[in-house]
Amino acid sequence: MNTTTTAIAVLGNGRVGGNLAAALTRAGHQVTVADRTPGAAADAARTARIVINATPGAGSLERLTALREELRDTILVDVSNATTDGPDGLPADLLYPGSSLAEQLQQALPDTHVVKTLNTMLYPVMTAPAMLTQAPEAFLSGEDPQAKQTVRALLTDLGWQPEWITDLGGIRTARATEAAILFVPHVIRSSGFTPFAVSIAR
């Protein structure tokens, strides 16, 4: 349980955003969830120290670029993957091959500290990593070491053990973790929606 209350805005109130908001509230943070109501995202981001992007990745860049001023000097935790959808609604192809959503966001929002994480697992694992029979892994990608340290502490509040968190380096490394989404539809078709995470065996 965190002893420091942080103002956090969660953009997106679907399964991912709702799950994260509930868990962070339980951990003692002051959480605001922004739905699609006009102005809701701007209002939430304006007063937050940390903003979590849990919006559908295909529209994230446009939505967040519109919040450039509200996101100035904040930490933007990007948990989304930008893909096209296949016929069954599962991810198909990457929208930013040769790049990543996280890189696109950092380029569009130079005064914001973008940190990519929690995008290599099914959403229940984000807030309950101990549910898996093997230790999962959460990866961090971002340019600002202090921002990544803050996000690392946030992950700890969500139940992630320090040894389960791996800092991959700069924002460019998000290309690797975002590409891991291409595993997801095949695993789901093979095994169903059983919670899982991409992890590195050592």
Side-chain angles (χ1 to χ4, degrees), residues 12-36:
N13 62 344
R15 290 179 300 182
V16 174
N19 188 40
L20 286 168
L24 290 167
T25 299
R26 287 194 300 271
H29 295 289
Q30 180 185 335
V31 181
T32 303
V33 179
D35 55 22
R36 291 177 176 268

Side-chain angles (χ1 to χ4, degrees), residues 27-61:
H29 295 289
Q30 180 185 335
V31 181
T32 303
V33 179
D35 55 22
R36 291 177 176 268
T37 306
D43 290 342
R46 192 175 291 115
T47 57
R49 182 186 173 216
I50 298 172
V51 176
I52 297 176
N53 174 39
T55 65
S60 290
L61 184 59

Side-chain angles (χ1 to χ4, degrees), residues 15-105:
R15 290 179 300 182
V16 174
N19 188 40
L20 286 168
L24 290 167
T25 299
R26 287 194 300 271
H29 295 289
Q30 180 185 335
V31 181
T32 303
V33 179
D35 55 22
R36 291 177 176 268
T37 306
D43 290 342
R46 192 175 291 115
T47 57
R49 182 186 173 216
I50 298 172
V51 176
I52 297 176
N53 174 39
T55 65
S60 290
L61 184 59
E62 181 181 0
R63 288 191 187 98
L64 293 170
T65 300
L67 302 175
R68 183 192 303 266
E69 288 306 312
E70 290 84 356
L71 291 171
R72 185 183 298 274
D73 296 326
T74 65
I75 296 171
L76 177 63
V77 181
D78 179 31
V79 304
S80 294
N81 289 300
T83 63
T84 60
D85 289 337
D88 55 3
L90 295 175
D93 295 312
L94 299 174
L95 279 184
Y96 304 108
S99 183
S100 63
L101 172 59
E103 287 174 89
Q104 297 295 315
L105 288 169

Side-chain angles (χ1 to χ4, degrees), residues 1-6 8 22-31 157:
M1 180 74 67
N2 187 16
T3 56
T4 304
T5 298
T6 303
I8 301 173
L24 290 167
T25 299
R26 287 194 300 271
H29 295 289
Q30 180 185 335
V31 181
D157 289 345

